[in-house]
Amino acid sequence: MVEGLKNRCEHQQVLCIGELLIDFFCSDIGVNLAEGSHFNKQAGGAPANVAAAISRLGGVASFAGKVGSDPFGDFLIETLNEVSVNTDLIARDTSMLTTMAFVSLQSDGERDFMFNRGADGNFTANDLPLDKLREAAIVHFGSATAMLGGAYLDAYFEFMAKARAQKQFVSFDPNYRHSLWAYRTEEFINLAKKGVSLADFVKVSEEELQLISGYEDLNEGVMELHRLGTKVIAVTLGKNGTLISNGSDQATIPSISITSIDSTGAGDAFVGAVLVQLSQITNQGITNLTFIDWRKMIHYANQVGAIVCTKVGAIAALPTYDEVIRWNQ
């Protein structure tokens, strides 16, 4: 961790842009969605999880996106408010219901998935005033649904290009979901490359790195993403750690040994842990970070991700800064 986390008032604002939705998880064992009868409602959306992680760790986080003018939209906003994420930039849509996803785990271990896209796809450039975008020192873009198309797609890259032009620090997580992109893989790759080219920091899984770069070899894949334009890349490798690269130096930071109960949200918590540390530093200072600094930040982020894996849920499993400190003692 870089010089230890400071008080919330000493952090710069991190704005997270992307989807906020309802996840309905089937609690019946070994059935498909048609057979399932019992579903648990949870707040979902990778960039929303990142915002929640930042706030729980003592940072200042805002979220921008769109939900429906319905009870599910109310629930999602209340959930983020409860963890002190600023929700002033969440727009409400009167024409579409809140986006929903339904998931069950079948007897063969495969997931049955159904996605009902709603209000988040209607987020437009007019929903986020430029002066509000400028207020953030760091802007994080999560893209599980943002790149699917609709009005949001154009707005998404417009926001990213503006943040880059304004010299804000841009973070990008492509969040590939096979269930969403199975028949549109090339489209995903092209859009993800565009995002990588506009980002200062990119977090990908090993699968995402290989898919986007076109290389099986991790080193070649990482260098391809650097060639596209990003400065720092973190590749999460599960139990094998996290590969971090700044283009000239590269290292794999070991994972924390734990007994995993539920890995949901661990990657988002990892991103939040990196960004909350960066939010303590001016953008000029970020450019002067040494590779040793990045190694320390990734080690801390690995710890946060590991803690999430020891609990059930996404936002509910996110640790506070004090909890991370106690976990180390």
Side-chain angles (χ1 to χ4, degrees):
M1 179 174 14
V2 178
E3 299 302 325
L5 292 176
K6 303 175 184 178
N7 295 326
R8 188 182 297 270
C9 62
E10 298 179 52
H11 288 258
Q12 300 180 93
Q13 182 193 154
V14 183
L15 173 61
C16 298
I17 300 177
E19 77 276 5
L20 178 59
L21 52 84
I22 298 288
D23 281 324
F24 284 104
F25 293 99
C26 183
S27 57
D28 299 321
I29 299 173
V31 301
N32 59 31
L33 287 175
E35 298 165 336
S37 299
H38 303 91
F39 293 83
N40 295 322
K41 176 189 74 194
Q42 292 187 22
N49 292 339
V50 171
I54 291 166
S55 186
R56 290 277 289 169
L57 291 168
V60 178
S62 298
F63 180 83
K66 182 170 276 190
V67 297
S69 296
D70 54 40
F72 288 148
D74 295 339
F75 166 75
L76 291 170
I77 291 173
E78 289 169 7
T79 299
L80 290 184
N81 283 335
E82 286 173 359
V83 291
S84 300
V85 172
N86 185 314
T87 58
D88 292 346
L89 299 179
I90 297 179
R92 306 298 294 266
D93 195 315
T94 57
S95 65
M96 296 287 287
L97 297 176
T98 296
T99 299
M100 292 174 279
F102 300 81
V103 185
S104 71
L105 187 63
Q106 302 175 105
S107 56
D108 61 0
E110 294 296 318
R111 292 193 172 195
D112 192 14
F113 177 85
M114 187 176 78
F115 182 64
N116 185 11
R117 194 175 198 194
D120 86 286
N122 285 348
F123 196 62
T124 70
N126 292 331
D127 290 316
L128 178 57
L130 186 58
D131 62 323
K132 295 298 182 183
L133 176 64
R134 277 200 202 99
E135 289 178 3
I138 298 170
V139 189
H140 172 69
F141 294 84
S143 65
T145 73
M147 298 194 305
L148 287 174
Y152 201 177
L153 177 59
D154 291 335
Y156 188 78
F157 284 110
E158 182 176 337
F159 295 145
M160 193 178 289
K162 285 179 177 177
R164 184 65 177 259
Q166 291 162 180
K167 301 191 182 304
Q168 294 162 286
F169 187 88
V170 176
S171 167
F172 176 59
D173 183 350
N175 284 310
Y176 176 74
R177 300 289 184 269
H178 178 75
S179 50
L180 294 177
W181 292 98
Y183 305 105
R184 302 168 58 185
T185 305
E186 286 303 316
E187 183 182 356
F188 170 84
I189 292 171
N190 291 333
L191 290 170
K193 285 182 175 180
K194 184 175 181 179
V196 169
S197 72
L198 292 168
D200 298 292
F201 172 74
V202 172
K203 176 264 178 189
V204 288
S205 67
E206 183 174 1
E207 176 194 14
E208 290 165 342
L209 175 67
Q210 293 170 338
L211 181 65
I212 297 167
S213 71
Y215 290 99
E216 288 293 316
D217 181 80
L218 293 183
N219 293 330
E220 290 182 342
V222 165
M223 294 315 297
E224 175 63 19
L225 264 57
H226 281 306
R227 282 192 288 270
L228 288 171
T230 194
K231 298 178 178 67
V232 180
I233 300 163
V235 186
T236 52
L237 306 171
K239 65 180 181 180
N240 294 321
T242 301
L243 187 155
I244 179 72
S245 172
N246 64 2
S248 56
D249 295 295
Q250 189 177 116
T252 298
I253 311 305
S255 292
I256 311 301
S257 180
I258 55 159
T259 300
S260 180
I261 296 174
D262 180 10
S263 62
T264 303
D268 303 326
F270 172 92
V271 174
V274 172
L275 298 184
V276 77
Q277 293 174 89
L278 292 175
S279 73
Q280 300 172 89
I281 309 166
T282 64
N283 279 9
Q284 181 65 36
I286 290 175
T287 62
N288 293 325
L289 286 173
T290 68
F291 190 66
I292 292 175
D293 292 329
W294 277 103
R295 289 178 62 123
K296 290 178 180 178
M297 287 193 292
I298 297 303
H299 175 69
Y300 177 75
N302 280 353
Q303 290 180 315
V304 172
I307 293 174
V308 170
C309 291
T310 65
K311 304 177 184 180
V312 177
I315 291 178
L318 294 170
T320 63
Y321 169 67
D322 289 339
E323 186 177 350
V324 179
I325 295 300
R326 290 195 301 270
W327 202 69
N328 279 308
Q329 293 174 345

